Amino acid sequence: LTELEALMERMKRLQEDKEDEEASQEEMATRFEKEKKESLLVISGGICTFPVPFSFDDEIVSTDVSRYIEDPGFGYKDFARRGEDHLPTFRAQDYTWENHGFSLVNRLYSDIGHLLDEKFRMVYNLTYNTMATHEDVDTTTLRRALFNYVHCMYGIRYDDYDYGEVNQLLERSLKVYIKTVTCYPERTTKRMYDSYWRQFKHSEKVRIS
């Protein structure tokens, strides 16, 4: 199977498994903890420690972004130290955009909640329903895995999501790319971008970003 066909086959299998049998809450919690710990290993200070078939260290360009920001020390920090057994977790259901965030930002800045809500919905639902040369593809499973993986890197968990899907759908080079773009955007290189989903169109890969 090509990379694309293998990914589509995994998506189809996940849909079928979901219809046949649902994982228990305990299993889903365990899978989240495993994914959360692995996400800490993907990139550390610009060095890829996750077992990928190549290293991006030599390609990382040292960029002075301090002139663009007021606090040069501001940046992504892993939410837990390596080796800790109980990493802090924030349950998304405890504080949601719909129930809390929307009304809070509207109080701080009139109507900004509506504008942000429109952008969030647009980005979350953004799809051409294509995967490379294949049309009329339901990409919901893949888009949700990407969405939840980004939140997982910040220790945010959705109780109704099975994080086992993340490892099945997101290849290692894509995880490296996602974490770099999300946490260290100035270190992103073209080699990282080229390393995943080689059969996909540029427009599809840009939507990932």
Side-chain angles (χ1 to χ4, degrees):
L1 290 177
T2 65
E3 178 187 32
L4 172 63
E5 289 168 337
L7 175 58
M8 292 186 68
E9 183 62 33
R10 287 194 297 273
M11 287 171 61
K12 181 181 174 185
R13 199 166 56 243
L14 281 171
Q15 280 300 119
E16 291 170 351
D17 291 347
K18 201 176 284 183
E19 291 167 10
D20 293 341
E21 183 182 348
E22 264 193 42
S24 68
Q25 283 295 319
E26 188 178 337
E27 285 173 330
M28 292 205 290
T30 302
R31 289 171 187 172
F32 170 75
E33 290 301 321
K34 181 182 177 191
E35 191 58 48
K36 187 168 64 168
K37 287 177 181 175
E38 283 186 5
S39 75
L40 294 175
L41 301 175
V42 172
I43 286 185
S44 175
I47 297 171
C48 179
T49 56
F50 203 66
V52 294
F54 43 75
S55 171
F56 297 129
D57 309 352
D58 55 341
E59 292 233 347
I60 293 170
V61 179
S62 177
T63 310
D64 180 18
V65 294
S66 60
R67 57 188 165 175
Y68 303 113
I69 54 179
E70 293 179 4
D71 179 7
F74 180 79
Y76 173 80
K77 297 270 192 301
D78 281 329
F79 56 87
R81 293 179 185 153
R82 283 159 184 72
E84 286 185 4
D85 289 332
H86 303 289
L87 305 180
T89 297
F90 178 86
R91 293 173 67 252
Q93 286 80 357
D94 291 342
Y95 188 92
T96 65
W97 165 252
E98 292 83 1
N99 297 331
H100 306 94
F102 182 86
S103 57
L104 173 62
V105 296
N106 262 352
R107 283 203 309 273
L108 298 172
Y109 192 106
S110 180
D111 291 332
I112 193 70
H114 295 286
L115 295 171
L116 288 172
D117 192 59
E118 184 184 337
K119 296 294 184 189
F120 293 157
R121 290 178 191 278
M122 183 189 71
V123 171
Y124 188 77
N125 296 309
L126 193 62
T127 181
Y128 297 148
N129 293 311
T130 64
M131 289 182 73
T133 56
H134 298 266
E135 296 184 354
D136 298 319
V137 180
D138 182 358
T139 60
T140 305
T141 308
L142 182 59
R143 287 183 287 117
R144 194 166 183 205
L146 290 160
F147 179 86
N148 286 322
Y149 181 62
V150 170
H151 285 137
C152 180
M153 290 187 293
Y154 286 88
I156 300 170
R157 179 188 172 210
Y158 291 81
D159 289 347
D160 61 347
Y161 182 69
D162 181 357
Y163 287 84
E165 293 183 8
V166 172
N167 264 341
Q168 293 185 59
L169 297 177
L170 308 187
E171 61 188 74
R172 290 170 179 173
S173 55
L174 176 54
K175 283 186 172 183
V176 171
Y177 177 76
I178 291 171
K179 184 156 187 182
T180 306
V181 167
T182 304
C183 307
Y184 315 101
E186 75 281 3
R187 297 175 181 166
T188 310
T189 66
K190 184 158 188 309
R191 187 179 174 195
M192 290 182 193
Y193 173 85
D194 291 337
S195 69
Y196 75 95
W197 287 5
R198 294 174 182 85
Q199 296 168 304
F200 283 69
K201 299 170 190 170
H202 285 300
S203 59
E204 292 173 307
K205 295 179 74 167
V206 165
R207 286 205 308 280
I208 297 301
S209 303

